[in-house]
Amino acid sequence: MKQRIRKAVFPVAGLGTRFLPATKTVPKEMLPIIDRPLIQYAVDEAIEAGCDTLIFITNRYKHAVADYFDKAYELEQKLEKAGKTDQLEKIRNVLPPGVRAIFVTQAEALGLGHAVLCAKSIVGNEPFAVLLPDDLIWNRGDGALKQMADAAEATGASMIAVQDVPREQTGSYGIVATDEFSGRSGRINAIVEKPAPADAPSNLAVVGRYILNPGIFDLLESTTPGSGGEIQLTDAIAALLADNPVHAYRFKGTRFDCGTHIGLIEATIRYALDHEKLSDAARDMMQNALSELGVIDLN
Ligand code: UTP
């Protein structure tokens, strides 16, 4: 199916327990890196890749995500009156014209696979993207999803983003085994969820960007719940491999696991150091902090 993706699914119905108590009221995807929430980075990446239909899988507690993408009439009027055009632009650009947002409720947190399945009737019979916003990918050139969408369009294969991880970390990821890579991608012949290092078929770990053949929906429907009673996306992908080409794509860029405390800190530091207005101040502040703690000697 050599087709450009137009639809992107954002599963954001997880409980975000690792960020409690903050996530008691603020969804994980609304945690900011500098001045934009994580979800905005993922949305921008999907739009850059060519998507014009964004499907958010939310739960009933996540009004904040829908509110964020809604028009803020009162705020816009106030900013307009005050002549604050820069800020006005910022809130208007949250979703550019021509891009529509659709919200689907996942009634129960039955797993990532189940969350993706909730998008079935909206996606229909075309290849589509899945982005997990807590995997934030920083790159100076094309975003990770655009790189993958170009490759998917050229080959007609499904694509899964991967990165090399230290072998001792395989237990935290889906791990793939592939045929030999040609350039940045290689056909996947096996995928295992969170294998112990000794059982891992490689150290190529799945990262939260996928371009999937719509055949995945039927496979998700027939997937039986795995660990924790959840329907795992990995299990359905393992079934998809049997009849469809699925490629691992080693994207260009740096990925931050913002679902963890240290990943969110790391991303904040990196974006601050790369920020056109904040970089000098951020570098000085970090040097001073390291010096005060005795980690570096500035003299
Ligand atoms: P995680 O494994 O990161 O879980 O989900 P979580 O609930 O978000 O966070 P922790 O582990 O409790 O801190 C991976 C992705 O799948 C989505 C999450 O929102 C996240 O983007 N997800 C997970 C759903 O949308 N529904 C689910 O039932 C489970």
Side-chain angles (χ1 to χ4, degrees):
M1 207 185 251
K2 291 191 183 180
Q3 210 178 325
R4 188 79 193 177
I5 47 155
R6 298 183 309 121
K7 295 177 179 168
V9 177
F10 302 86
V12 293
L15 301 177
T17 53
R18 283 171 288 177
F19 275 98
L20 283 170
T23 45
K24 215 176 142 201
T25 52
V26 181
K28 178 171 70 170
E29 302 74 22
M30 294 306 296
L31 297 176
I33 302 292
I34 316 285
D35 55 358
R36 301 193 304 152
L38 285 171
I39 189 78
Q40 182 76 60
Y41 291 90
V43 158
D44 290 350
E45 194 183 320
I47 294 171
E48 182 209 11
C51 297
D52 61 7
T53 303
L54 313 180
I55 305 157
F56 299 90
I57 313 300
T58 64
N59 65 35
R60 61 186 162 283
Y61 305 108
K62 295 216 174 170
H63 299 293
V65 178
D67 290 349
Y68 177 76
F69 288 105
D70 208 351
K71 197 171 164 69
Y73 287 102
E74 248 182 54
L75 183 58
E76 286 197 16
Q77 273 176 0
K78 280 190 180 146
L79 293 173
E80 207 160 7
K81 257 194 195 153
K84 296 193 170 175
T85 44
D86 281 2
Q87 284 91 332
L88 191 60
E89 255 333 84
K90 277 187 187 163
I91 61 165
R92 282 191 175 150
N93 284 344
V94 160
L95 270 191
V99 174
R100 64 181 182 143
I102 298 169
F103 295 86
V104 179
T105 302
Q106 184 188 24
E108 250 185 292
L110 294 177
L112 175 59
H114 181 261
V116 171
L117 184 55
C118 292
K120 179 181 179 184
S121 63
I122 300 167
V123 170
N125 192 30
E126 56 183 286
F128 65 102
V130 176
L131 297 96
L132 306 188
D134 49 3
D135 272 338
L136 176 59
I137 302 178
W138 179 88
N139 191 35
R140 285 224 167 89
D142 285 348
L145 192 71
K146 174 157 191 317
Q147 299 169 39
M148 293 166 66
D150 290 346
E153 193 177 16
T155 59
S158 295
M159 294 280 158
I160 299 182
V162 294
Q163 73 172 54
D164 301 88
V165 296
R167 194 156 265 273
E168 61 272 19
Q169 290 179 14
T170 58
S172 304
Y173 294 92
I175 299 289
V176 296
T178 65
D179 297 345
E180 203 172 315
F181 266 54
S182 153
R184 293 199 165 268
S185 68
R187 186 169 175 159
I188 299 177
N189 51 54
I191 182 166
V192 220
E193 187 64 18
K194 302 190 171 78
D199 305 326
S202 76
N203 64 341
L204 273 182
V206 173
V207 167
R209 301 288 182 276
Y210 309 78
I211 292 177
L212 297 171
N213 178 298
I216 197 79
F217 290 123
D218 287 347
L219 297 169
L220 281 167
E221 266 166 348
S222 55
T223 299
T224 42
S227 64
E230 296 196 337
I231 295 176
Q232 303 287 351
L233 183 58
T234 304
D235 292 341
I237 291 172
L240 187 69
L241 297 176
D243 301 314
N244 289 273
V246 182
H247 290 189
Y249 190 92
R250 198 185 256 130
F251 59 88
K252 192 161 180 268
T254 308
R255 168 249 181 190
F256 301 99
D257 181 1
C258 294
T260 66
H261 297 168
I262 198 67
L264 192 74
I265 294 167
E266 196 186 356
T268 303
I269 292 174
R270 176 66 67 91
Y271 278 76
L273 289 173
D274 194 50
H275 193 279
E276 56 168 350
K277 291 191 183 136
L278 298 176
S279 61
D280 288 349
R283 206 185 42 239
D284 290 350
M285 179 272 292
M286 275 174 231
Q287 277 178 342
N288 289 337
L290 289 171
S291 159
E292 274 171 34
L293 291 169
V295 180
I296 59 167
D297 186 358
L298 284 181
N299 302 311

